[in-house]
Structure formats: C-alpha cells, structure tokens
Amino acid sequence: MHRMMLFLVFFLAFNAYGQQKLIAIINTVDDDEPPIKDSDLNHLTDRLRAIANKTLPQRNYAVMTQQSILSLFATPGDMMSKCNELEGCLVKIGREIAADYICQGRIGRFDGNLTIKVELYESISGNLVSSFAEGSKNISGLLSILDEKAPDMFRRMLGVFGSPSIVRGISDLERAVDYLLDFEKHYLVNLTTDPAGASLSFNGLPSSSCAQSPCKVELPDGKVRIIAALEQYEIADTTVSLVRNNQSVSIKLKPNFGVLEIKPAYSDGLGRNEQWNLTINDKTVSSMENRLLPNKYKVKLSHRCYDDINFEVGINKGSYEVFDMSKYIKPKIGGLVLSTERDGEPSSEPVFVNGKNVGETPFSGSVALCADVELGRERVSAKVRLKHNETVRHTQKMPDSREWLAKKEEERRRAQETEAERRRREAEEYRARQIQEMLEDVERKAKRPIRLGLRLTAGGTFGVGLSSEWFDAAYIKDYDIGKSGQGGLGGFFALGLTLNIRITEKWVIATESNYNYFGHFDVYKKEDDNYIAATVSNHTMSIPVLLRFRSHELYAGYYFEAGYQWGFPFSSNVELEVDNSNGKFTDNRDFSEFRTKRDEALVFGLGMFGPISHSFGLRFIYHLTKLDKDGVVKSPTLIGITYAYNIF
C-alpha cells in the first residue's frame, strides 16, 4: 500500500512537470575585444535567469539550470563549438536539449560603449519571439538594461498572461448526446482604467470590441478575470463578479515608475530668455518633468550663462523627486577691462552691471557672462562679448556731448509741453514722415533702369488727305466725275506699350509697339451737283525708337524726343457713296493689295512729365514713304496729343 501511494505521488508530479514549458538561457557571449571577464558574463546570464524566474508563471514555465544544460553536452565548450558550426545554432541547440524556448545575450561594442543584444526563440518553430538591443558605458548599465527590457521580452511568450496551457493529444472523447438548449446570461460592462489606454484581456483572451480602455464589452455572468497592461505601469490582474447589466468596472493601475522634476532658476534674471539643457544618462530630454523606471540616473544641467550642474538621483516606484536649482546655480564669470572715449578723448563714465552702479571707467573686474553692461549717463550698452574664465579688453565710444545734451533738452521740452501741443507735434511729425516716405518712393521708382508703360496718341492730318489721293488715283475715272469741288477731314489714334531704358540720369531710350488707326473723309462734286463721298480706314502696327531728354531725373519737368518709326500696314479699305447719272448707290473697295509692306517716318515730340507715372505732350510724325505701290498716294504728316502712364 505504501509503495502504491509513493508511485501515485511521483506520477502526479511527473504529469504536472510535463505540462510546463522549458526555457533554456545559455551563457552570455562577448563578440569583441578587449574581452569581458567570464565572471561578468556569468553574472549577466544569472541576472537574465533570475528575471525569467520572477516574470514567468511557474505553473506554466520552468527555467532550466546551467548544470542541466551543460550535462547534455560532452564538455562545456562543446555547446558553443556546435553553435559556431551550425546555422541558426540557438534554435538547433534548443531542440537538442528539448527546450521549448531558448534565450541568449551577446555583448558588442559601438562608439566606445558596450552593447547587449538578447534574443528569445521558440525551438520547435524557430520563430523569434522577442528581442532587444541597447547600449551602456559599463557592465552596471547593462544590468540596468536587463532589468528594464527583459521582463517585457518574457511576457511576450504564449501563456504568460494567463492563457490556458493545452495538453497535447486527444483525450476525453465523448459521444453525441441529445441537444439541450442552454442559455448563458451575458451582461454589458463599462470598463475604465486609471490612467486610460491600457491593453485588456478577459479570461486570458483579448476582445476585438474592447481592446483598450475605456470601452464597453459583453461578458458572461459570473466571475471574469481581467488583465490590464500599460507601459510604465504594473500589470493589473483582477477578478470581478458580474451581477447586472451596464455594470461599471474601474481598475486603478499602479505606476512602475517614479517622477523627476527639475525647477529651473536664474540668478538676477541672467539668461532668462534661454532654456536650461537637461540630459539624463547622456540623453537629451526636452521636459523638466520626466517619468523614469526604478533605477539610478546621472543628470546634467547646462546653460550658456551658468556652470554645469551634475548629480545622481535614485528613482523608486511611485516616488516624486524634485530638484530646486536655485540653491546650486553659479553664473559663469569673465574678466573685463573697460575704457571709454567721448568727443575723441578718454573719459570717465559710470559703469552699470544689470542696472547696478559698480564703479566708473577705466574699470576692471569680474562680470557675469550674460550680464548687461551699460556706460555713462545715457546708459549706452557696451558692445562687448565676455569669455568664461578669460579677460576681455574693450574701449567704448560714447555719443557726442552736444547730441546727448540736445536729446536731454528734447526730452525736457516734451515733458513740459501740454496735451494739445503734444498732439500737434505728433501730427506734424506724422505728416513729415508721410512726405518723406512719398519722396523716397518717388525717388526709388524714378531711378528704376527699366520702366514699362502705356501710351495713347490722338490727332489729325496736316497736308494732303490720304483718301482724296487714293480716290483720285483709282476711282475718279471709273465714275467720270471731275474735281470741281473737294473737301476732307482726317484723324488718327495710336495705343500701345512703351519701354523706357535709362542711359543716364536725364537721357532715355524709348521704344514703343503701337496699334494705329487712321480715318479720312473726302467729298468730290461736279457742276450738276453729282458727287462721290469717300470714307477711308487704315489699320497699322508701328514701332518708333526714340531718344528722349528729360529736364529732371526725378520729379516734374519737360522733355524732348526724336527718332525713327517703322510702320507695317495690315488692313485698308474705302467705302464710297455715289450720286450720278446711274443713281445713288454705295461701293466698298479693299486697298490692302495696293499698299506698301512698310512705312517709314520721322518722329518729333515735346511735353511735360509729372512724378512717377504721368506725362503729356505733342508728337509730329512726318512720313518718308508713299503708301501705294505706284508711288502716287502721298503719306500725310500727322500731329497728335500724347498721354503716357508708367505701370511699372
């Protein structure tokens, strides 16, 4: 009977152990030179095993000892020799020693610091479960990294958060029975955490509708195990009883961190416009209030105007450490040798440092780097840049005494003037500024090397009318009418762009591109009152190039201009009203085919211009060419009034 009971105990113990997952943590190795001592490597491996034992639930996981791992190899070095010979050695070693998971740390070097990389694999599948890599200046820092990062790595293993372990194989086979309708009651639960944003699982399983707090979830009646996990907080594992619909469940998370707050301070306001620079473990942080995991940290505060402040702080869970800088700040000091000159001679002037009188020039002494140094009754700022723990020599030139006295007199006068006088003075100063700004604007625009504008020219003919000559040459014989009577009226206008290029202050080259329209009306009569009325229309593009002289380079004045013009006719026609023996009728004729392809003329002009934009004048255009191919039709002399406006 006694032997039977002993066998039963061993059988139950073996069966319980068979349900556990084995994790092997093999020796930490060093991949670089100079090598780290074996004792330090063993200590890192032991720390990793201790963290695994503390983090993993013992009912589901068992951490293999170093002796049990080495006992499976012929010699202690046989394991690492196999690792060097095989690809994917960690996974293969895990399979050889029948471990479900295998983990190892590797030491390296980067930028003068030690680095540690830890990898955790599942032996059967060969999948990487989790890993991390960090750096530190020494072995103690690597231990802190393991304490911070390794627990999260082991928590990623299946079943750590309470997922039920599954026994392999088929068991408890049941035959089908008659269907019994069984209703399981469910409740709607309002779940919140403090703070919010925690990841949630219910009875070891996540819920797609309630993955993160706060949320609503439908859960079965009875007791439900809820696990809430949030970075920098301890994992909350609690069981609640659901007894009603719309039940509210609130879980308060315990912080896994402490807080370090830095209270900045400044001595006499020195450097207040600049922020203190804060580094924690050689990493720059922007906030003066930081959450830190439990550990010991090196803190450094630096500022251009103050000596550096270095200290260490120990952080525990839930602790709140405050560092008040006002007790420890010390301004950086530099030496200053200061002299002054006024009216071209050395002078003695009072010296003010941050508003306090500290003596007079010549001055020598220690001054804070960021202090404001002012000199004289005028409080002139000394243009000197001090250097830390060095002496700087500087000579400051003070304002002329007469200028200073005049300024003081003006201040005294303004202090004594009445409100009405002050308003009148300010109004006069405002008008004077407006006038000055207008004159500066005029001068700036007038001195532009290139100006673009618009020009309109309108006027009439001088001399023989164009239509009468054309009509006489081409159509009088057709209608058998003489020249017993003749009268006519002609006019034109031109519109286009003008480009002015300055040569000197008074001489300008002006070129234009104009559209021209010329119209003329003539009447021819006979003794029996028969007549022909002719209306001529001509359309031309003209390009004059002129040399212009301006009497003044900036403001209003007069100008003269002269140059040459090229014209290019593109349309010409005549409309006739005839009253003769054949009766009254109209006739339209196109003369474009009889026109010359180019017309040339001399251009002369004079006028006046105003500030910046406007000018008016007279322009004479004397044509040098005949307009028809036979040289019969004469070109008229044109005289017109011009207006120009500079748009740029």
Side-chain angles (χ1 to χ4, degrees):
M1 184 66 180
H2 178 72
R3 289 184 179 180
M4 180 62 69
M5 291 296 296
L6 185 61
F7 174 80
L8 181 60
V9 169
F10 275 113
F11 175 80
L12 292 175
F14 178 80
N15 191 39
Y17 179 79
Q19 294 180 356
Q20 289 180 311
K21 300 287 186 180
L22 294 179
I23 176 171
I25 299 175
I26 64 175
N27 285 349
T28 303
V29 295
D30 185 8
D31 291 338
D32 213 330
E33 296 291 338
I36 296 176
K37 294 185 297 184
D38 290 341
S39 59
D40 291 337
L41 295 176
N42 292 337
H43 187 61
L44 290 171
T45 306
D46 293 340
R47 178 66 66 90
L48 201 56
R49 285 198 185 95
I51 294 171
N53 267 319
K54 182 179 179 181
T55 304
L56 299 174
Q58 295 182 1
R59 64 180 179 276
N60 295 332
Y61 292 93
V63 180
M64 300 177 67
T65 64
Q66 178 74 358
Q67 290 75 14
S68 63
I69 295 173
L70 294 178
S71 64
L72 300 173
F73 295 92
T75 63
D78 186 42
M79 176 178 63
M80 297 314 300
S81 64
K82 286 193 175 185
C83 185
N84 293 330
E85 295 171 359
L86 299 174
E87 182 180 358
C89 63
L90 280 182
V91 173
K92 294 182 179 180
I93 289 176
R95 293 170 183 169
E96 286 193 22
I97 63 177
D100 296 284
Y101 296 90
I102 188 165
C103 176
Q104 184 184 39
R106 286 186 174 272
I107 307 297
R109 312 290 190 280
F110 179 75
D111 196 21
N113 291 336
L114 295 174
T115 63
I116 185 166
K117 180 179 181 181
V118 181
E119 294 178 325
L120 174 64
Y121 288 90
E122 187 179 12
S123 301
I124 301 300
S125 65
N127 293 333
L128 177 66
V129 176
S130 182
S131 68
F132 62 86
E134 294 286 342
S136 177
K137 290 184 176 181
N138 49 44
I139 295 294
S140 298
L142 298 183
L143 289 171
S144 299
I145 292 170
L146 292 180
D147 292 340
E148 178 184 354
K149 300 293 183 180
D152 288 339
M153 180 185 71
F154 289 123
R155 290 189 187 106
R156 295 181 181 273
M157 295 167 59
L158 183 64
V160 174
F161 288 116
S163 299
S165 57
I166 299 174
V167 180
R168 296 178 183 177
I170 299 172
S171 61
D172 298 332
L173 180 64
E174 296 181 0
R175 297 183 178 275
V177 297
D178 292 338
Y179 175 71
L180 295 176
L181 186 61
D182 183 18
F183 290 100
E184 184 180 27
K185 192 171 183 61
H186 283 71
Y187 294 119
L188 189 64
V189 178
N190 299 310
L191 197 146
T192 60
T193 62
D194 182 17
S199 299
L200 303 170
S201 67
F202 304 92
N203 289 333
L205 298 174
S207 171
S208 58
S209 63
C210 191
Q212 193 176 63
S213 67
C215 59
K216 290 185 177 182
V217 63
E218 188 178 293
L219 296 174
D221 181 22
K223 293 184 177 181
V224 177
R225 182 187 181 193
I226 303 175
I227 296 177
L230 182 63
E231 187 177 0
Q232 294 188 334
Y233 287 83
E234 292 183 4
I235 296 174
D237 190 342
T238 183
T239 300
V240 297
S241 296
L242 303 182
V243 295
R244 64 181 181 276
N245 203 29
N246 286 320
Q247 184 172 338
S248 295
V249 175
S250 180
I251 301 174
K252 186 173 181 60
L253 303 178
K254 295 180 180 180
N256 194 30
F257 60 85
V259 177
L260 172 62
E261 180 186 358
I262 307 294
K263 290 188 175 181
Y266 301 89
S267 176
D268 293 332
L270 293 176
R272 185 176 293 276
N273 58 333
E274 299 180 28
Q275 297 290 333
W276 280 86
N277 298 317
L278 171 63
T279 61
I280 300 177
N281 282 354
D282 299 325
K283 293 182 179 180
T284 302
V285 294
S286 57
S287 174
M288 288 295 173
E289 184 175 323
N290 294 274
R291 294 179 176 181
L292 301 173
L293 294 175
N295 208 337
K296 198 166 188 178
Y297 296 91
K298 292 182 179 180
V299 182
K300 179 179 179 181
L301 290 158
S302 57
H303 193 286
R304 182 177 65 88
C305 303
Y306 298 90
D307 290 338
D308 293 346
I309 301 175
N310 296 276
F311 64 91
E312 291 187 354
V313 60
I315 299 296
N316 295 316
K317 290 182 181 180
S319 66
Y320 197 100
E321 305 293 336
V322 179
F323 181 77
D324 188 352
M325 294 171 51
S326 60
K327 303 176 183 178
Y328 306 99
I329 56 174
K330 181 180 178 183
K332 292 180 179 178
I333 300 297
L336 176 62
V337 177
L338 190 59
S339 302
T340 53
E341 292 182 358
R342 189 186 291 272
D343 301 332
E345 297 180 351
S347 63
S348 180
E349 309 287 346
V351 180
F352 301 90
V353 176
N354 281 348
K356 298 179 182 179
N357 191 327
V358 296
E360 60 183 18
T361 58
F363 171 85
S364 60
S366 297
V367 179
L369 251 62
C370 299
D372 293 327
V373 181
E374 298 173 315
L375 301 169
R377 296 168 295 181
E378 307 94 323
R379 296 295 184 96
V380 175
S381 179
K383 306 299 182 181
V384 57
R385 186 174 182 84
L386 299 174
K387 298 180 179 179
H388 187 211
N389 293 335
E390 295 184 26
T391 299
V392 176
R393 298 178 181 273
H394 178 71
T395 300
Q396 180 70 42
K397 292 184 178 181
M398 304 297 291
D400 186 82
S401 299
R402 290 169 295 180
E403 294 179 2
W404 184 79
L405 291 173
K407 182 179 179 181
K408 286 296 182 182
E409 176 62 23
E410 177 66 15
E411 292 176 354
R412 184 193 64 78
R413 185 184 65 79
R414 292 190 177 187
Q416 294 178 351
E417 68 182 355
T418 64
E419 181 66 18
E421 290 173 339
R422 183 186 64 80
R423 291 180 179 178
R424 183 171 58 255
R425 174 181 55 78
E426 291 178 351
E428 292 174 353
E429 291 175 352
Y430 177 73
R431 286 193 296 270
R433 285 196 301 271
Q434 282 187 318
I435 294 173
Q436 181 63 30
E437 290 174 359
M438 183 189 70
L439 294 176
E440 291 174 355
D441 187 55
V442 169
E443 183 175 356
R444 183 175 63 255
K445 291 182 178 179
K447 287 187 175 181
R448 288 174 179 166
I450 296 177
R451 305 187 74 184
L452 181 66
L454 297 172
R455 183 177 294 275
L456 174 65
T457 305
T461 62
F462 177 77
V464 180
L466 175 64
S467 62
S468 64
E469 291 299 313
W470 264 14
F471 179 72
D472 184 38
Y475 294 108
I476 291 179
K477 293 180 181 180
D478 290 349
Y479 294 100
D480 191 21
I481 192 168
K483 283 191 175 182
S484 58
Q486 176 182 337
L489 180 65
F492 78 98
F493 76 87
L495 177 65
L497 294 174
T498 176
L499 181 67
N500 298 320
I501 303 174
R502 289 172 58 93
I503 303 175
T504 65
E505 291 183 349
K506 296 184 178 182
W507 288 95
V508 177
I509 292 178
T511 180
E512 301 173 12
S513 177
N514 297 318
Y515 161 74
N516 303 271
Y517 172 79
F518 176 82
H520 203 277
F521 179 75
D522 286 286
V523 177
Y524 295 82
K525 291 185 178 181
K526 202 173 182 182
E527 293 180 356
D528 56 359
D529 291 335
N530 291 345
Y531 74 94
I532 297 177
T535 302
V536 179
S537 297
N538 293 282
H539 305 271
T540 308
M541 289 298 297
S542 64
I543 302 176
V545 178
L546 309 172
L547 181 63
R548 181 176 298 139
F549 171 79
R550 295 163 58 96
S551 63
H552 197 286
E553 68 274 15
L554 295 180
Y555 308 115
Y558 60 88
Y559 70 88
F560 298 100
E561 62 183 7
Y564 206 77
Q565 175 176 292
W566 290 267
F568 303 92
F570 58 86
S571 177
S572 179
N573 60 76
V574 175
E575 181 178 332
L576 303 173
E577 292 185 9
V578 182
D579 186 359
N580 59 13
S581 58
N582 295 324
K584 290 184 178 182
F585 60 93
T586 59
D587 188 6
N588 288 287
R589 302 288 178 95
D590 184 1
F591 281 89
S592 298
E593 60 179 306
F594 300 109
R595 297 295 303 273
T596 57
K597 294 183 179 180
R598 187 175 65 187
D599 178 30
E600 299 180 13
L602 296 176
V603 180
F604 304 92
L606 72 165
M608 300 187 67
F609 62 91
I612 305 175
S613 300
H614 306 278
S615 65
F616 297 88
L618 292 175
R619 178 169 290 186
F620 303 88
I621 304 173
Y622 179 75
H623 290 275
L624 302 176
T625 57
K626 298 296 182 79
L627 290 183
D628 68 332
K629 295 180 180 179
D630 298 329
V632 176
V633 180
K634 298 178 181 180
S635 300
T637 300
L638 306 177
I639 181 171
I641 299 174
T642 66
Y643 165 72
Y645 174 75
N646 291 318
I647 58 178
F648 172 78

Short mmCIF file of all heavy atoms in Angstrom, two decimals, residues 336 338 340 342 349-361 363 367 371-384 394 396 398:
data_model
loop_
_atom_site.label_atom_id
_atom_site.label_comp_id
_atom_site.label_asym_id
_atom_site.label_seq_id
_atom_site.Cartn_x
_atom_site.Cartn_y
_atom_site.Cartn_z
N LEU A 336 36.81 91.70 -17.16
CA LEU A 336 36.53 92.82 -18.07
C LEU A 336 37.40 94.01 -17.71
O LEU A 336 37.40 94.47 -16.56
CB LEU A 336 35.05 93.20 -18.01
CG LEU A 336 34.62 94.41 -18.84
CD1 LEU A 336 34.87 94.16 -20.32
CD2 LEU A 336 33.16 94.75 -18.59
N LEU A 338 37.66 97.81 -19.04
CA LEU A 338 36.79 98.66 -19.83
C LEU A 338 37.25 100.11 -19.79
O LEU A 338 37.56 100.64 -18.71
CB LEU A 338 35.36 98.56 -19.29
CG LEU A 338 34.23 99.17 -20.09
CD1 LEU A 338 34.16 98.56 -21.48
CD2 LEU A 338 32.91 98.96 -19.36
N THR A 340 36.49 104.17 -21.90
CA THR A 340 35.53 104.92 -22.71
C THR A 340 36.20 106.14 -23.33
O THR A 340 37.19 106.68 -22.80
CB THR A 340 34.33 105.38 -21.86
OG1 THR A 340 34.81 106.10 -20.70
CG2 THR A 340 33.49 104.21 -21.42
N ARG A 342 34.95 109.92 -25.24
CA ARG A 342 33.87 110.85 -25.60
C ARG A 342 34.49 112.08 -26.26
O ARG A 342 35.48 112.62 -25.77
CB ARG A 342 33.07 111.24 -24.36
CG ARG A 342 31.80 112.02 -24.68
CD ARG A 342 31.13 112.51 -23.42
NE ARG A 342 30.56 111.45 -22.61
CZ ARG A 342 29.34 110.97 -22.76
NH1 ARG A 342 28.56 111.46 -23.73
NH2 ARG A 342 28.89 110.03 -21.98
N GLU A 349 33.35 107.47 -17.13
CA GLU A 349 31.91 107.27 -17.18
C GLU A 349 31.49 106.25 -16.13
O GLU A 349 32.24 105.30 -15.85
CB GLU A 349 31.48 106.78 -18.56
CG GLU A 349 31.98 107.59 -19.73
CD GLU A 349 31.30 108.93 -19.86
OE1 GLU A 349 30.24 109.12 -19.21
OE2 GLU A 349 31.81 109.79 -20.61
N PRO A 350 30.30 106.42 -15.54
CA PRO A 350 29.81 105.40 -14.60
C PRO A 350 29.53 104.08 -15.31
O PRO A 350 29.11 104.06 -16.46
CB PRO A 350 28.52 106.03 -14.03
CG PRO A 350 28.10 107.03 -15.05
CD PRO A 350 29.37 107.55 -15.67
N VAL A 351 29.77 102.97 -14.60
CA VAL A 351 29.58 101.63 -15.14
C VAL A 351 28.42 100.97 -14.38
O VAL A 351 28.42 100.95 -13.14
CB VAL A 351 30.86 100.78 -15.03
CG1 VAL A 351 30.62 99.38 -15.60
CG2 VAL A 351 32.01 101.47 -15.75
N PHE A 352 27.46 100.42 -15.13
CA PHE A 352 26.31 99.74 -14.54
C PHE A 352 26.29 98.29 -15.03
O PHE A 352 26.39 98.04 -16.23
CB PHE A 352 25.01 100.43 -14.95
CG PHE A 352 24.93 101.88 -14.54
CD1 PHE A 352 25.39 102.87 -15.39
CD2 PHE A 352 24.40 102.24 -13.31
CE1 PHE A 352 25.31 104.20 -15.03
CE2 PHE A 352 24.32 103.56 -12.94
CZ PHE A 352 24.78 104.56 -13.80
N VAL A 353 26.18 97.34 -14.10
CA VAL A 353 26.07 95.92 -14.42
C VAL A 353 24.71 95.44 -13.92
O VAL A 353 24.45 95.49 -12.71
CB VAL A 353 27.21 95.10 -13.80
CG1 VAL A 353 27.00 93.61 -14.08
CG2 VAL A 353 28.55 95.56 -14.35
N ASN A 354 23.85 95.03 -14.86
CA ASN A 354 22.48 94.64 -14.53
C ASN A 354 21.77 95.72 -13.71
O ASN A 354 21.05 95.45 -12.75
CB ASN A 354 22.45 93.31 -13.77
CG ASN A 354 22.61 92.13 -14.69
OD1 ASN A 354 22.52 92.25 -15.90
ND2 ASN A 354 22.87 90.96 -14.11
N GLY A 355 21.98 96.98 -14.13
CA GLY A 355 21.30 98.12 -13.50
C GLY A 355 21.95 98.63 -12.24
O GLY A 355 21.51 99.66 -11.71
N LYS A 356 23.01 97.99 -11.74
CA LYS A 356 23.67 98.42 -10.50
C LYS A 356 24.98 99.12 -10.83
O LYS A 356 25.77 98.64 -11.65
CB LYS A 356 23.93 97.22 -9.60
CG LYS A 356 22.65 96.51 -9.15
CD LYS A 356 23.00 95.31 -8.29
CE LYS A 356 21.72 94.57 -7.86
NZ LYS A 356 22.05 93.37 -7.04
N ASN A 357 25.22 100.26 -10.16
CA ASN A 357 26.46 101.01 -10.36
C ASN A 357 27.59 100.28 -9.65
O ASN A 357 27.57 100.09 -8.43
CB ASN A 357 26.31 102.43 -9.79
CG ASN A 357 27.46 103.33 -10.21
OD1 ASN A 357 28.58 102.88 -10.36
ND2 ASN A 357 27.17 104.61 -10.38
N VAL A 358 28.59 99.85 -10.45
CA VAL A 358 29.71 99.08 -9.88
C VAL A 358 31.03 99.84 -9.97
O VAL A 358 32.09 99.29 -9.66
CB VAL A 358 29.84 97.73 -10.61
CG1 VAL A 358 28.61 96.87 -10.37
CG2 VAL A 358 30.07 97.93 -12.10
N GLY A 359 30.99 101.11 -10.37
CA GLY A 359 32.22 101.89 -10.47
C GLY A 359 32.19 102.80 -11.67
O GLY A 359 31.12 103.15 -12.20
N GLU A 360 33.36 103.23 -12.12
CA GLU A 360 33.46 104.09 -13.29
C GLU A 360 34.70 103.71 -14.09
O GLU A 360 35.59 102.99 -13.61
CB GLU A 360 33.52 105.55 -12.88
CG GLU A 360 34.71 105.89 -11.98
CD GLU A 360 34.69 107.34 -11.53
OE1 GLU A 360 33.64 108.00 -11.61
OE2 GLU A 360 35.76 107.83 -11.11
N THR A 361 34.69 104.15 -15.38
CA THR A 361 35.83 103.85 -16.25
C THR A 361 36.99 104.80 -15.95
O THR A 361 36.76 105.96 -15.56
CB THR A 361 35.41 104.01 -17.71
OG1 THR A 361 34.94 105.32 -17.94
CG2 THR A 361 34.37 103.01 -18.11
N PHE A 363 37.64 100.79 -15.89
CA PHE A 363 37.08 99.80 -14.98
C PHE A 363 37.73 98.46 -15.24
O PHE A 363 37.99 98.08 -16.39
CB PHE A 363 35.57 99.69 -15.21
CG PHE A 363 34.92 98.54 -14.49
CD1 PHE A 363 34.52 98.68 -13.17
CD2 PHE A 363 34.72 97.32 -15.13
CE1 PHE A 363 33.90 97.62 -12.51
CE2 PHE A 363 34.12 96.27 -14.48
CZ PHE A 363 33.71 96.42 -13.17
N VAL A 367 32.86 90.00 -14.15
CA VAL A 367 31.48 90.25 -14.55
C VAL A 367 30.86 88.94 -15.04
O VAL A 367 31.52 88.16 -15.73
CB VAL A 367 31.40 91.33 -15.65
CG1 VAL A 367 29.95 91.56 -16.07
CG2 VAL A 367 32.02 92.64 -15.18
N ALA A 371 25.63 89.21 -18.21
CA ALA A 371 25.17 90.45 -17.59
C ALA A 371 25.07 91.56 -18.62
O ALA A 371 25.80 91.59 -19.62
CB ALA A 371 26.11 90.84 -16.46
N ASP A 372 24.15 92.52 -18.39
CA ASP A 372 24.03 93.72 -19.22
C ASP A 372 24.96 94.78 -18.65
O ASP A 372 24.81 95.20 -17.48
CB ASP A 372 22.59 94.23 -19.22
CG ASP A 372 21.64 93.28 -19.92
OD1 ASP A 372 22.09 92.62 -20.87
OD2 ASP A 372 20.47 93.18 -19.50
N VAL A 373 25.91 95.23 -19.48
CA VAL A 373 26.88 96.25 -19.07
C VAL A 373 26.52 97.54 -19.77
O VAL A 373 26.46 97.59 -21.01
CB VAL A 373 28.32 95.83 -19.40
CG1 VAL A 373 29.31 96.90 -18.94
CG2 VAL A 373 28.65 94.49 -18.75
N GLU A 374 26.24 98.62 -18.99
CA GLU A 374 25.87 99.92 -19.54
C GLU A 374 26.82 100.98 -19.02
O GLU A 374 27.35 100.87 -17.90
CB GLU A 374 24.43 100.27 -19.16
CG GLU A 374 23.40 99.29 -19.69
CD GLU A 374 22.02 99.55 -19.16
OE1 GLU A 374 21.90 99.78 -17.93
OE2 GLU A 374 21.07 99.54 -19.95
N LEU A 375 27.01 102.04 -19.83
CA LEU A 375 28.00 103.07 -19.52
C LEU A 375 27.39 104.45 -19.64
O LEU A 375 26.56 104.71 -20.52
CB LEU A 375 29.19 102.96 -20.48
CG LEU A 375 29.94 101.61 -20.48
CD1 LEU A 375 30.91 101.55 -21.64
CD2 LEU A 375 30.67 101.42 -19.18
N GLY A 376 27.85 105.37 -18.77
CA GLY A 376 27.51 106.78 -18.89
C GLY A 376 26.11 107.12 -18.42
O GLY A 376 25.30 106.25 -18.09
N ARG A 377 25.86 108.43 -18.42
CA ARG A 377 24.53 108.91 -18.05
C ARG A 377 23.47 108.43 -19.04
O ARG A 377 22.30 108.27 -18.71
CB ARG A 377 24.55 110.44 -17.98
CG ARG A 377 25.47 110.99 -16.90
CD ARG A 377 25.67 112.48 -17.08
NE ARG A 377 26.39 112.77 -18.32
CZ ARG A 377 26.72 114.00 -18.73
NH1 ARG A 377 26.39 115.04 -17.99
NH2 ARG A 377 27.36 114.18 -19.87
N GLU A 378 23.91 108.19 -20.31
CA GLU A 378 22.96 107.75 -21.34
C GLU A 378 22.62 106.28 -21.24
O GLU A 378 21.77 105.78 -21.97
CB GLU A 378 23.54 108.02 -22.74
CG GLU A 378 23.99 109.43 -22.98
CD GLU A 378 25.49 109.60 -22.69
OE1 GLU A 378 25.97 108.95 -21.73
OE2 GLU A 378 26.16 110.36 -23.40
N ARG A 379 23.34 105.56 -20.37
CA ARG A 379 23.17 104.10 -20.25
C ARG A 379 23.40 103.43 -21.61
O ARG A 379 22.57 102.67 -22.11
CB ARG A 379 21.79 103.74 -19.73
CG ARG A 379 21.51 104.22 -18.31
CD ARG A 379 22.42 103.53 -17.31
NE ARG A 379 22.11 103.88 -15.95
CZ ARG A 379 21.35 103.17 -15.12
NH1 ARG A 379 20.80 102.06 -15.57
NH2 ARG A 379 21.14 103.55 -13.89
N VAL A 380 24.54 103.72 -22.23
CA VAL A 380 24.91 103.12 -23.51
C VAL A 380 25.32 101.67 -23.26
O VAL A 380 26.14 101.38 -22.38
CB VAL A 380 26.05 103.90 -24.18
CG1 VAL A 380 26.51 103.20 -25.46
CG2 VAL A 380 25.60 105.32 -24.49
N SER A 381 24.76 100.74 -24.04
CA SER A 381 25.10 99.33 -23.89
C SER A 381 26.51 99.08 -24.42
O SER A 381 26.84 99.44 -25.54
CB SER A 381 24.10 98.47 -24.65
OG SER A 381 24.43 97.10 -24.54
N ALA A 382 27.34 98.45 -23.60
CA ALA A 382 28.72 98.14 -24.01
C ALA A 382 28.70 96.96 -24.98
O ALA A 382 28.20 95.89 -24.65
CB ALA A 382 29.57 97.81 -22.79
N LYS A 383 29.22 97.16 -26.17
CA LYS A 383 29.24 96.11 -27.20
C LYS A 383 30.44 95.20 -26.96
O LYS A 383 31.43 95.21 -27.68
CB LYS A 383 29.30 96.73 -28.59
CG LYS A 383 28.21 97.75 -28.87
CD LYS A 383 26.82 97.11 -28.78
CE LYS A 383 25.72 98.11 -29.11
NZ LYS A 383 24.38 97.54 -29.00
N VAL A 384 30.36 94.39 -25.91
CA VAL A 384 31.47 93.52 -25.55
C VAL A 384 30.91 92.12 -25.28
O VAL A 384 29.84 91.97 -24.69
CB VAL A 384 32.21 94.07 -24.31
CG1 VAL A 384 31.26 94.22 -23.13
CG2 VAL A 384 33.38 93.16 -23.94
N HIS A 394 38.10 96.17 -23.70
CA HIS A 394 37.17 96.84 -24.62
C HIS A 394 37.16 98.34 -24.37
O HIS A 394 37.19 98.79 -23.21
CB HIS A 394 35.75 96.30 -24.43
CG HIS A 394 34.73 96.95 -25.29
ND1 HIS A 394 34.68 96.74 -26.65
CD2 HIS A 394 33.73 97.83 -25.00
CE1 HIS A 394 33.69 97.44 -27.16
NE2 HIS A 394 33.09 98.11 -26.17
N GLN A 396 34.84 101.64 -25.35
CA GLN A 396 33.52 102.03 -25.84
C GLN A 396 33.51 103.51 -26.21
O GLN A 396 33.89 104.36 -25.40
CB GLN A 396 32.46 101.76 -24.78
CG GLN A 396 31.06 102.12 -25.20
CD GLN A 396 30.52 101.18 -26.25
OE1 GLN A 396 30.72 99.97 -26.17
NE2 GLN A 396 29.86 101.73 -27.25
N MET A 398 31.57 106.79 -26.69
CA MET A 398 30.33 107.36 -26.19
C MET A 398 29.78 108.40 -27.16
O MET A 398 30.52 108.96 -27.97
CB MET A 398 30.57 108.00 -24.81
CG MET A 398 31.17 107.05 -23.79
SD MET A 398 30.08 105.66 -23.41
CE MET A 398 28.79 106.52 -22.54
#
